[in-house]
Amino acid sequence: MLKFLIISLVILSGVFLPLIAQTTPSELIVEGRWVNPPSHDPGIPSEIYHKNMPAVEYQDATVPPQPPVRMCAEWEPAVSVLIRYPLGLPWDLVEDLAQDVHVTCLVSSSNYSSAQSQFTSHGISPSQVDFVITNTDTYWTRDYGPWFVFDGQDAMGISDHVYNRTYRVDDDQSNWYLAPDLGVELWKTDLRHTGGNFMCDGHGVGMSSDDVYNYSFNSTITQDSVNNLMNAYWGIYTYHAFPDPLGSYIDHIDCYAKFLNEEKIVVITNGVDDYNLNQVANQISGLTSCFGGNYQVVRLHCPDNHDAAYVNCLIINSFVYLPLTGYYDEDTAAIHFYERELPGYIVKGYQDYSFEPTDAIHCRTKAIYDPGMLYVDVNPHVDTADLKVKALVHDYNGMGVKTDSVFLVWRFSGDSLFTNYELMDQISGFPDSFQAYLPLPVSEETLSVDYYVFAADNSGRHSTDPYTAPGGYYNVDYEVMGIEEGTEHIVPPERIAIFQQNDKLVFRSSAGLHNIEKISIMDITGRIRSEINRHLLATGGNIIVLDLDRLDLTSGIYLITVRSDQNNYTDKINIIR
């Protein structure tokens, strides 16, 4: 409780405001936490706040990043989480962030010693946290913190907005101190914005509540001009804005919706604003995603009467950090929701007295992305014409993709392990583009395939899409696609599909396997492990099946060459026994 609360009221412009005498930080902060945290929004008419706040001297806008510009999606590879001290987060969450990812903490020079002491006392080592010395007004790093983009030269930097809470001068200026600490460039736009009212898919599609067009400065130019500035500074070429369905004081989209991936968006229900929320959900489901299909909208119940903020979670690397309410059944349902919708992610839950439906973990954290990330991007819509999977694999570190280490990894649905590694071909003329083919069904049990793409580069990084593979993966249902067992015409005739099915090694070709002379199997050391000559092969159809036990192959990667009287076909496969 504040020690110096003065009961008297002053009438200012017809509004009654409580006066609070000066209070030192030590009286407001206990063990690094605000004991009486401020509201996310002051709840005071903005014109009154503006009258009583000092004038803001903003840094001049800079030229935008060199195009093409790409803004990072929330789920892309990150190296740290940005928070602020004094904290607005429970210590058990901060400890996990430091252990699971890394923490970058904004702190003033006057609080630096206290921050060091508190982090150490909670078991966080100096190697797990970086402190950036700068003044801040609040702990909402989501709102004023960095928006990371890659420019046309593959350089990651901060493309900074003017924080729409213009009276929070130190918050708005903090990125000018953060950028040099991270060693990245900062570009500045005149646009007013706030991170809690923005989400994007990493492909140039952004979404907000439509209050963005009412922010100061933004309201003085046309909506097209606002959108054009977003395109220039953030690479956002498609921008969707929705009426705030909650009718709340804050109008932030992260209070009711969230991208889970490029095609899936969660929209909450809360038992109070469901009519408006359903309107937004229906509107989103009718929009086209970056991959050409409509968005899949999934719903998550966040009971208003229990202050649930389940959508205001942080997704980073392979973790979901979820605010909980203490109501067991509802919390458990929310955890199961994210485990179901984001397979492979580890979901961790946290309670805190300061969490509200409009202000929880997402509002108070911000990812710092890997400037040298290996970016793997798969369009999950497989064409029935050829079952081809295409992937963009780009090394932002500039050290080069290992073209012999880009694999389409798959299994027939129902198999416990991914046992098939198809080396993806680099597409001629497009050095970042790779392709490979999924297998045709060979029986009624093989009418569905799970897959992901794995890649490695010369920096030592490796990555997958989906990010949490093999826990997360894409699926192709051949029956839904109209492909049946025995379908032949969709596979290029020069291709031979080679894959493991239980204890068998299967070869399949739509052109037939009539002219096979020899099959050679070589391990990664270059030693020939097995050679099967024509007279031992049951050729004549479209399938050859070999017994792995008779081939005496153990687990490992093998190079298989199929020699015919016309040409040779070579592929890699990963055998798992």
Side-chain angles (χ1 to χ4, degrees):
M1 180 179 293
L2 299 179
K3 290 185 177 180
F4 302 105
L5 178 63
I6 298 178
I7 301 176
S8 60
L9 298 175
V10 172
I11 299 177
L12 178 61
S13 301
V15 178
F16 288 92
L17 298 178
L19 284 183
I20 300 177
Q22 184 179 20
T23 307
T24 64
S26 62
E27 294 162 339
L28 288 171
I29 301 165
V30 175
E31 292 190 350
R33 292 293 314 281
W34 286 100
V35 295
N36 188 12
S39 171
H40 201 160
D41 189 278
I44 301 172
S46 59
E47 64 272 12
I48 296 175
Y49 240 93
H50 292 166
K51 286 179 182 177
N52 292 277
M53 291 294 164
V56 178
E57 294 184 4
Y58 294 109
Q59 297 278 358
D60 291 336
T62 70
V63 296
Q66 180 177 333
V69 180
R70 192 184 74 82
M71 178 177 278
C72 300
E74 183 169 339
W75 52 81
E76 293 185 27
V79 294
S80 193
V81 181
L82 182 69
I83 63 174
R84 175 265 205 182
Y85 184 93
L87 302 177
L89 300 166
W91 274 109
D92 57 342
L93 170 57
V94 177
E95 292 163 10
D96 282 353
L97 291 174
Q99 178 68 37
D100 298 339
V101 191
H102 186 269
V103 167
T104 300
C105 184
L106 306 178
V107 61
S108 66
S109 57
S110 60
N111 282 323
Y112 178 50
S113 177
S114 170
Q116 285 183 306
S117 175
Q118 287 296 325
F119 274 76
T120 299
S121 70
H122 284 87
I124 300 172
S125 71
S127 65
Q128 295 174 317
V129 58
D130 291 323
F131 293 103
V132 178
I133 306 301
T134 180
N135 291 332
T136 55
D137 302 296
T138 68
Y139 48 57
W140 293 298
T141 55
R142 172 69 49 181
D143 289 346
Y144 60 79
W147 293 18
F148 288 101
V149 302
F150 286 97
D151 71 6
Q153 297 297 312
D154 284 355
M156 190 184 82
I158 297 172
S159 195
D160 195 24
H161 60 287
V162 177
Y163 185 22
N164 73 322
R165 302 296 193 256
T166 53
Y167 45 84
R168 294 174 184 162
V169 183
D170 289 333
D171 282 351
D172 184 66
Q173 296 296 312
S174 62
N175 286 328
W176 290 98
Y177 295 86
L178 177 63
D181 187 83
L182 298 177
V184 300
E185 189 169 353
L186 186 144
W187 302 281
K188 187 80 172 184
T189 173
D190 284 322
L191 275 179
R192 272 55 171 174
H193 220 310
T194 177
N197 192 27
F198 183 81
M199 62 182 188
C200 79
D201 66 351
H203 286 257
V205 179
M207 296 185 181
S208 298
S209 292
D210 60 11
D211 192 45
V212 63
Y213 295 116
N214 299 322
Y215 298 159
S216 63
F217 176 78
N218 300 3
S219 62
T220 67
I221 60 178
T222 66
Q223 291 189 8
D224 284 345
S225 297
V226 171
N227 295 345
N228 289 338
L229 284 171
M230 290 187 190
N231 178 265
Y233 284 86
W234 301 323
I236 301 300
Y237 63 84
T238 300
Y239 192 59
H240 302 293
F242 312 101
D244 178 54
L246 304 180
S248 67
Y249 64 91
I250 196 167
D251 288 345
H252 282 190
I253 198 169
D254 71 350
C255 300
Y256 60 86
K258 189 180 191 69
F259 270 113
L260 299 182
N261 58 39
E262 294 93 337
E263 295 190 299
K264 185 187 295 184
I265 295 175
V266 55
V267 177
I268 70 166
T269 60
N270 65 8
V272 175
D273 304 293
D274 289 354
Y275 177 82
N276 293 335
L277 288 163
N278 291 342
Q279 295 289 102
V280 171
N282 291 337
Q283 187 176 350
I284 292 175
S285 65
L287 299 174
T288 302
S289 77
C290 63
F291 291 137
N294 286 355
Y295 286 107
Q296 177 190 1
V297 176
V298 292
R299 310 303 296 273
L300 172 61
H301 190 52
C302 300
D304 181 80
N305 61 332
H306 291 164
D307 288 341
Y310 301 134
V311 78
N312 201 259
C313 62
L314 174 67
I315 299 173
I316 186 167
N317 293 349
S318 57
F319 297 93
V320 177
Y321 298 98
L322 180 66
L324 302 179
T325 64
Y327 291 89
Y328 177 81
D329 290 344
E330 295 162 5
D331 287 348
T332 301
I335 291 171
H336 290 167
F337 170 87
Y338 283 104
E339 289 175 339
R340 179 180 69 252
E341 300 299 337
L342 294 174
Y345 280 85
I346 299 170
V347 183
K348 297 184 175 184
Y350 306 86
Q351 283 183 250
D352 193 71
Y353 64 89
S354 68
F355 290 164
E356 304 175 25
T358 53
D359 175 21
I361 294 174
H362 190 259
C363 294
R364 309 176 191 188
T365 56
K366 189 78 171 69
I368 296 175
Y369 296 99
D370 179 4
M373 70 170 67
L374 177 60
Y375 179 68
V376 181
D377 184 47
V378 176
N379 183 337
H381 296 286
V382 176
D383 194 337
T384 58
D386 56 12
L387 298 184
K388 184 187 296 180
V389 174
K390 292 184 178 180
L392 174 71
V393 182
H394 186 74
D395 58 315
Y396 280 105
N397 53 74
M399 297 185 68
V401 174
K402 298 175 69 173
T403 57
D404 63 349
S405 300
V406 180
F407 291 100
L408 172 63
V409 187
W410 61 270
R411 70 183 178 193
F412 288 117
S413 301
D415 291 350
S416 59
L417 298 174
F418 285 89
T419 58
N420 301 283
Y421 285 59
E422 180 91 10
L423 184 65
M424 301 189 77
D425 297 322
Q426 197 170 23
I427 299 176
S428 178
F430 300 91
D432 290 341
S433 297
F434 294 79
Q435 64 184 21
Y437 299 91
L438 291 172
L440 278 170
V442 295
S443 67
E444 291 185 1
E445 290 75 31
T446 60
L447 289 173
S448 179
V449 174
D450 306 324
Y451 72 95
Y452 63 91
V453 170
F454 170 93
D457 67 22
N458 291 312
S459 75
R461 291 173 173 84
H462 57 82
S463 190
T464 60
D465 186 11
Y467 185 83
T468 56
Y473 50 83
Y474 297 115
N475 173 265
V476 171
D477 189 321
Y478 290 147
E479 288 187 293
V480 172
M481 297 172 68
I483 300 173
E484 301 176 353
E485 177 192 355
T487 302
E488 302 292 352
H489 70 280
I490 59 176
V491 176
E494 69 276 5
R495 178 195 167 212
I496 300 175
I498 306 172
F499 54 91
Q500 179 182 354
Q501 187 175 9
N502 300 321
D503 60 350
K504 307 296 183 183
L505 188 61
V506 181
F507 299 75
R508 184 182 178 93
S509 172
S510 61
L513 298 168
H514 307 276
N515 302 315
I516 302 302
E517 298 288 343
K518 180 189 293 186
I519 295 176
S520 300
I521 303 175
M522 180 188 301
D523 64 23
I524 58 175
T525 69
R527 183 166 64 96
I528 297 293
R529 296 294 300 271
S530 184
E531 286 191 331
I532 306 96
N533 292 313
R534 181 173 187 169
H535 69 279
L536 296 176
L537 295 171
T539 62
N542 294 336
I543 296 178
I544 295 175
V545 179
L546 302 179
D547 191 303
L548 288 174
D549 290 330
R550 296 187 65 179
L551 294 174
D552 194 26
L553 298 180
T554 57
S555 295
I557 296 177
Y558 294 89
L559 187 69
I560 299 179
T561 301
V562 180
R563 307 179 191 278
S564 71
D565 57 3
Q566 295 179 343
N567 52 41
N568 298 334
Y569 181 85
T570 300
D571 204 351
K572 282 184 180 179
I573 186 171
N574 185 46
I575 300 294
I576 298 179
R577 300 299 306 274

